[in-house]
């Protein structure tokens, strides 16, 4: 979990750099001036450049603000700086690319160094470490690039393409055309700083609201005032509640406890939950009947939460949609979340998800779960947790091996070339990659921090106890090594810096999981039957959790569409809409499997409040992972991984078509599920 957060943070840092600087709300270059400027340029250089001129001038105009100069300054800037000559344009591109590598690379290195006292075992963490770790040297990068007019120069000469256009040109673009398109993505919006500030306040408030949304489980009672949970158990919505629900398969009173948690979740979604029991421990609560009692079991009056949950969702909507008019290429938050961030259209994501959750294999997996539980399914069984490995592998035995092999971080570092060799890289290439990865003993569970300029190393952070690396730590380290190998190949071996990296975080996770899946084999302890069973359980577990999150992500998607259609809704109306949408999705895709109607459970995720429209990334990542795994299973791992990675950061669908010959879909996951169902029968 920590590592996902870190990678997400790593990514967030990157987008912070792209946070546009101040633009005044009122100033606008007139349509006439834009047309006239374009006309003059076409007259000067000819109609051949029509597309580049029209788009470039339009783009600069959309970013120009009063502080950048008057209309005539805008005209002169365009006339003087448009570059028609293709050889000169390539030189400009190379210069820009080199400078961005210097800036991003050194910033990354500085941030990594400033954070070392927080991440590595460097003694007690002090005020200085915390303040310096949080310091962001790049905070004003965008502002600076607008001030020195580099942003306008890029916008004028490198057209910004929408995702639809990129997809349309994907098959015909050369590598340099892709690299130019990525350059064109650099400066496409300039949101007034007060709007960014406002959103960051809303985000902080939303986080705080969820962070303080705890339920005192020791106070949960049934009709006879029996308690079921440990007295001191406090669970946060929804993660804590969900994890406790998951932990209660096959425990004493497990089903009863799960029903309590489910009832609590419904009260939260419907905002019937008493404010007296949110983050407060004074009262007993019977969530099934929604009654509150004092210490003497005397019923007390309560106030239901006044739609606060939906008030925060609305605040997010208002803060983010206020930025729409400053994002000419992606003028809604829905477009920015899907087309711009994921680079998969909302329509495509929706289709991928619906195809998956309506597949006949889902009903087969549900049948197996029902058999294993020996009862009818309940809506909360979307969190069925019985496909985890646990007893399938003997962890103690493996820990004995990893401790002997890896007494310290250095021992693991020394073994990286051998690991890569075993995965199929040549000795030269294995040494080449390994030389670019540093292994550091870390405080946390482990993470991977990539370099952002050639000449710099990626860092593998791993936690090693006094007795050496245990199996769990090793398993994580192999995952992180996967990230580091990806980071290294996509920085050093991709032809243009603007194309370095992978399309989005789902891809880096997919590669990391592929490495992780080889961990036992890399210890020289390959057991074919064991591996087959582990893979089968993994496929079933993945399928069921994808089925769950896809439903939640669809609800998130439809709720945002509803907010855009009803921008003036109040929190109560939004609550009713969310409940209706969640129930509609349930009745359409989950009721047929569960046999229980009208559950709004898919609306419980806290991500809806704290990370709007982020959820879809998780299941997409797993589908990609299975597609790649399925494709390379009878091929050479190292060769295929390298071939896929050197494509760099083109769009996800274009990347996948070249990588596995197909767009992103659930077919590979479902194929793995069919195989798994032949192995796991009860
Ligand atoms: Zn990862």
């Amino acid at each position: 979990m920590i590592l996902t957060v870190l990678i997400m943070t790593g990514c967030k840092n990157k987008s912070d750099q792209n946070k546009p600087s101040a633009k005044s709300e009122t100033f606008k270059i007139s349509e006439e001036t834009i047309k006239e400027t374009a006309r003059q340029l076409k007259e000067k250089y000819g109609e051949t450049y029509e597309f580049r001129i029209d788009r470039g001038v339009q783009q600069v105009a959309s970013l120009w603000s009063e502080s950048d100069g008057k209309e005539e300054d805008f005209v002169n800037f365009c006339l003087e700086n448009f570059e028609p000559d293709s050889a000169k344009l390539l030189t400009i591109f190379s210069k820009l690319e080199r400078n961005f590598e210097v800036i991003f690379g050194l910033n990354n290195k500085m941030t990594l160094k400033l954070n070392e006292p927080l991440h590595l075992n460097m003694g007690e963490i002090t005020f200085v470490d915390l303040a310096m770790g949080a310091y962001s040297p790049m905070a004003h990068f965008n502002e600076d690039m607008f001030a020195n007019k580099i942003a306008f120069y890029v916008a004028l000469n490198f057209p910004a393409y929408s995702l639809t256009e990129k997809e349309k040109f994907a098959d015909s673009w050369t590598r340099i055309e892709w690299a130019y398109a990525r350059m064109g993505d650099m400066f496409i919006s300039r949101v007034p700083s007060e709007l960014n500030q406002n959103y960051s306040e809303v985000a902080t408030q939303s986080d705080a609201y969820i962070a303080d949304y705890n339920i005192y489980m020791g106070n949960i009672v049934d009709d006879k005032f029996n308690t079921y949970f440990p007295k001191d158990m406090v669970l946060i919505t929804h993660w804590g509640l969900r994890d406790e629900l998951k932990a209660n398969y096959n425990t004493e009173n497990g089903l009863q406890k799960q029903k309590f948690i489910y009832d609590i979740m419904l009260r939260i979604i419907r905002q019937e939950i008493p404010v007296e029991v949110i983050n407060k421990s004074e009262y007993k609560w019977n969530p099934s009947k929604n009654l509150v009692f004092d210490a003497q079991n005397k019923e007390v009056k309560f106030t239901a939460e006044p739609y606060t949950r939906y008030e925060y969702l609305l605040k997010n909507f208002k803060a983010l949609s206020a930025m729409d008019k400053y994002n000419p290429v992606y003028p809604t938050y829905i477009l920015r979340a899907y087309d711009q961030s994921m680079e998969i259209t909302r329509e495509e994501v929706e289709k991928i998800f619906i195809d998956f959750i309506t597949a006949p294999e889902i009903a087969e997996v549900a049948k197996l779960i029902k058999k294993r539980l020996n009862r009818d399914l309940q809506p909360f069984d979307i969190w069925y947790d019985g496909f985890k490995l646990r007893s399938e592998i003997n962890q103690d035995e493996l820990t004995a091996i990893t401790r002997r092999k890896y007494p310290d971080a250095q021992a693991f570092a020394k073994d990286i070339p051998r690991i890569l060799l075993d995965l199929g890289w040549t000795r030269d290439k294995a040494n080449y990659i390994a030389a670019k990865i540093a292994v550091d003993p870390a405080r946390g569970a482990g993470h991977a921090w990539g370099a952002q300029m050639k000449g710099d190393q990626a860092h593998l952070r791993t936690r090693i106890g006094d007795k050496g690396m245990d199996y769990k730590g090793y398993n994580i380290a192999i995952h992180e090594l996967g990230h580091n190998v990806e980071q290294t190949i996509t920085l050093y071996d991709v032809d243009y810096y603007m194309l370095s990296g992978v399309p989005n975080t789902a891809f880096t996770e997919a590669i990391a999981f592929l490495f992780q899946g080889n961990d036992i084999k890399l210890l020289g302890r390959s057991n074919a039957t064991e591996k087959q069973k582990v893979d089968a359980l993994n496929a079933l577990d993945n399928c069921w959790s994808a089925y769950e999150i896809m439903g939640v992500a669809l609800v998130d998607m439809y709720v945002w569409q509803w907010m855009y259609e009803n921008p003036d809704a109040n929190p109560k109306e939004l609550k009713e809409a969310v409940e209706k949408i969640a129930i509609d999705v349930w009745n359409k895709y989950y009721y047929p499997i569960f046999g229980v109607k009208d559950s709004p459970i898919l609306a419980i995720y806290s991500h809806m409040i704290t990370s709007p429209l982020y959820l879809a990334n998780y299941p997409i990542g797993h589908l990609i992972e299975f597609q790649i795994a399925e494709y390379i299973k009878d091929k050479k791992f190292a060769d295929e991984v390298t071939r896929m990675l050197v494509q760099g950061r083109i769009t996800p669908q274009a990347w996948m078509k070249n990588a596995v010959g197909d767009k992103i879909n659930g077919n590979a996951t479902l194929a793995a599920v069919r195989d798994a169902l032949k192995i796991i029968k009860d």
Side-chain angles (χ1 to χ4, degrees):
M1 282 305 108
I2 289 169
L3 78 129
T4 333
V5 171
L6 272 160
I7 287 158
M8 276 174 62
T9 334
C11 230
K12 268 187 183 154
N13 285 340
K14 216 173 181 178
S15 68
D16 276 350
Q17 292 164 4
N18 291 331
K19 212 176 256 172
S21 66
K23 178 167 167 40
S24 66
E25 291 245 15
T26 47
F27 184 80
K28 227 177 164 230
I29 301 282
S30 72
E31 274 308 310
E32 255 170 42
T33 306
I34 296 172
K35 270 196 192 136
E36 176 55 23
T37 311
R39 193 197 60 76
Q40 286 190 40
L41 276 170
K42 281 178 236 173
E43 195 178 82
K44 195 168 164 188
Y45 299 118
E47 295 289 325
T48 331
Y49 302 102
E50 185 178 7
F51 171 77
R52 278 190 55 214
I53 289 171
D54 283 342
R55 187 151 299 188
V57 171
Q58 188 69 50
Q59 190 69 20
V60 173
S62 73
L63 298 168
W64 198 274
S65 96
E66 211 166 4
S67 61
D68 303 312
K70 300 193 172 59
E71 286 220 344
E72 60 191 82
D73 299 317
F74 160 81
V75 176
N76 290 335
F77 181 86
C78 293
L79 294 179
E80 283 162 22
N81 291 295
F82 180 77
E83 182 50 70
D85 184 81
S86 62
K88 283 187 187 155
L89 193 65
L90 181 61
T91 308
I92 291 166
F93 170 82
S94 307
K95 281 177 185 292
L96 285 167
E97 191 181 51
R98 177 185 170 276
N99 285 300
F100 288 138
E101 182 168 357
V102 169
I103 295 172
F104 297 148
L106 289 173
N107 170 64
N108 180 58
K109 191 166 184 157
M110 199 179 336
T111 310
L112 178 113
K113 287 275 173 198
L114 291 176
N115 277 284
E116 275 178 357
L118 301 175
H119 292 153
L120 309 185
N121 299 314
M122 289 172 67
E124 194 194 336
I125 295 174
T126 65
F127 170 78
V128 174
D129 302 317
L130 288 168
M132 289 299 195
Y135 172 64
S136 166
M138 284 284 277
H140 303 287
F141 171 71
N142 260 274
E143 229 164 284
D144 296 344
M145 291 298 116
F146 278 102
N148 65 15
K149 301 264 187 312
I150 286 287
F152 295 117
Y153 194 84
V154 169
L156 180 65
N157 286 296
F158 298 94
Y161 295 94
S162 69
L163 176 64
T164 319
E165 288 173 322
K166 286 185 189 117
E167 295 285 331
K168 196 172 102 193
F169 299 131
D171 292 334
S172 62
W173 268 349
T174 59
R175 293 292 292 173
I176 190 69
E177 283 173 315
W178 266 114
Y180 280 9
R182 283 306 185 201
M183 185 63 82
D185 286 342
M186 284 290 292
F187 305 99
I188 58 171
S189 68
R190 197 181 184 191
V191 178
S193 52
E194 61 268 26
L195 295 188
N196 281 322
Q197 183 60 33
N198 179 45
Y199 176 63
S200 94
E201 274 162 32
V202 167
T204 308
Q205 287 169 17
S206 308
D207 282 347
Y209 168 71
I210 292 294
D212 269 347
Y213 209 113
N214 295 296
I215 307 295
Y216 283 76
M217 301 304 285
N219 292 345
I220 300 296
V221 295
D222 66 9
D223 294 352
K224 293 183 179 125
F225 296 99
N226 295 315
T227 56
Y228 293 81
F229 297 92
K231 203 155 179 39
D232 55 355
M233 180 180 267
V234 181
L235 298 178
I236 188 167
T237 190
H238 75 286
W239 301 280
L241 293 168
R242 177 203 60 191
D243 290 348
E244 177 62 16
L245 199 154
K246 281 184 166 195
N248 274 295
Y249 281 99
N250 297 319
T251 60
E252 201 190 334
N253 295 322
L255 184 59
Q256 179 58 45
K257 284 156 90 175
Q258 290 175 325
K259 283 181 174 164
F260 276 128
I261 294 172
Y262 180 64
D263 284 337
I264 294 170
M265 288 175 162
L266 296 188
R267 300 287 176 200
I268 294 172
I269 295 165
R270 296 184 175 132
Q271 293 287 276
E272 295 160 346
I273 182 170
V275 289
E276 288 81 356
V277 302
I278 303 170
N279 221 28
K280 292 196 184 81
S281 62
E282 290 98 300
Y283 298 102
K284 296 176 187 174
W285 181 30
N286 178 332
S288 321
K289 298 240 165 84
N290 207 19
L291 298 171
V292 178
F293 304 92
D294 65 13
Q296 284 71 47
N297 294 345
K298 191 168 161 277
E299 194 183 333
V300 292
K301 277 211 152 78
F302 67 83
T303 317
E305 188 180 20
Y307 310 112
T308 320
R309 181 178 172 85
Y310 301 98
E311 210 178 301
Y312 279 108
L313 184 50
L314 269 183
K315 278 187 183 176
N316 272 289
F317 167 72
K318 294 214 162 115
L320 289 165
S321 60
M323 300 175 183
D324 290 355
K325 58 178 168 178
Y326 304 98
N327 281 281
V329 185
Y330 301 107
T332 68
Y333 181 67
I334 299 176
L335 284 169
R336 294 195 287 284
Y338 293 101
D339 290 38
Q340 188 179 10
S341 296
M342 286 179 88
E343 294 202 303
I344 308 172
T345 64
R346 189 201 64 74
E347 291 78 6
E348 279 180 296
V349 172
E350 184 183 22
K351 184 176 184 306
I352 293 166
F353 286 3
I354 292 177
D355 284 350
F356 187 88
I357 63 183
T358 54
E361 287 83 355
I362 300 290
E364 293 303 311
V365 178
K367 222 187 270 169
L368 174 62
I369 295 173
K370 203 169 148 179
K371 192 167 164 193
R372 291 180 133 208
L373 291 173
N374 196 23
R375 61 165 170 78
D376 285 338
L377 294 184
Q378 302 289 323
F380 53 76
D381 291 319
I382 52 173
W383 292 301
Y384 174 71
D385 198 35
F387 295 133
K388 292 274 187 282
L389 315 173
R390 286 184 198 123
S391 58
E392 303 303 327
I393 45 174
N394 184 339
Q395 292 215 13
D396 293 342
E397 212 176 286
L398 295 170
T399 289
I401 303 174
T402 56
R403 280 189 175 153
R404 200 173 58 237
K405 271 179 92 95
Y406 307 120
D408 53 34
Q410 254 358 78
F412 189 80
K414 267 199 197 133
D415 204 28
I416 292 178
R418 193 273 310 165
I419 292 173
L420 296 178
L421 209 58
D422 277 8
L423 288 172
W425 271 277
T426 63
R427 186 168 296 280
D428 279 356
K429 198 69 193 177
N431 288 331
Y432 166 90
I433 295 170
K436 294 170 178 61
I437 300 170
V439 183
D440 311 323
R443 295 182 194 266
H447 62 260
W449 191 322
Q452 281 185 37
M453 60 186 239
K454 290 177 228 41
D456 200 8
Q457 282 182 310
H459 289 257
L460 193 160
R461 264 74 189 268
T462 175
R463 185 173 192 153
I464 300 191
D466 297 340
K467 293 182 202 150
M469 190 184 258
D470 60 19
Y471 170 67
K472 207 171 166 201
Y474 165 77
N475 174 273
I476 295 171
I478 296 292
H479 175 100
E480 303 307 338
L481 178 63
H483 281 305
N484 288 136
V485 170
E486 175 269 296
Q487 289 157 350
T488 300
I489 293 176
T490 62
L491 173 65
Y492 282 85
D493 297 347
V494 168
D495 44 6
Y496 295 102
Y497 182 72
M498 292 312 293
L499 291 175
S500 64
V502 282
N504 64 41
T505 43
F507 289 79
T508 180
E509 286 310 324
I511 299 295
F513 282 117
L514 284 175
F515 270 73
Q516 198 174 0
N518 280 297
D519 71 328
I520 295 180
K521 197 171 95 189
L522 289 168
L523 284 179
R525 266 238 356 193
S526 171
N527 176 332
T529 349
E530 194 178 75
K531 170 99 173 96
Q532 210 183 27
K533 193 160 181 192
V534 167
D535 285 350
L537 283 170
N538 184 34
L540 294 171
D541 188 50
N542 247 303
C543 166
W544 199 247
S545 76
Y547 174 55
E548 172 236 336
I549 302 186
M550 284 177 188
V552 178
L554 284 176
V555 170
D556 205 11
M557 177 189 287
Y558 298 148
V559 166
W560 271 82
Q561 284 176 282
W562 188 90
M563 291 194 289
Y564 264 100
E565 286 156 16
N566 300 273
D568 301 318
N570 64 35
K572 181 170 182 280
E573 289 161 343
L574 177 58
K575 175 243 153 191
E576 282 156 10
V578 171
E579 209 181 324
K580 183 177 181 304
I581 289 166
I583 289 175
D584 284 350
V585 171
W586 179 271
N587 286 349
K588 223 164 155 181
Y589 307 116
Y590 295 78
Y591 161 65
I593 301 293
F594 287 80
V596 181
K597 250 192 157 161
D598 296 335
S599 174
I601 193 63
L602 299 168
I604 191 60
Y605 265 60
S606 298
H607 297 73
M608 279 184 78
I609 314 299
T610 59
S611 319
L613 295 181
Y614 186 79
L615 276 168
N617 287 281
Y618 296 112
I620 288 282
H622 284 302
L623 299 187
I624 291 169
E625 182 196 331
F626 272 87
Q627 279 180 277
I628 298 175
E630 168 79 16
Y631 182 82
I632 67 175
K633 75 177 177 204
D634 51 1
K635 302 184 182 66
K636 282 189 175 163
F637 184 88
D639 292 356
E640 291 300 321
V641 166
T642 306
R643 178 183 69 80
M644 292 174 188
L645 288 178
V646 295
Q647 297 185 84
R649 198 168 54 93
I650 58 176
T651 55
Q653 297 288 28
W655 196 101
M656 283 300 277
K657 263 163 72 188
N658 294 333
V660 305
D662 203 355
K663 287 180 135 193
I664 299 167
N665 64 57
N667 297 343
T669 306
L670 295 169
V673 166
R674 287 193 297 276
D675 289 344
L677 287 168
K678 286 177 208 145
I679 295 162
I680 314 287
K681 293 204 151 79
D682 48 32

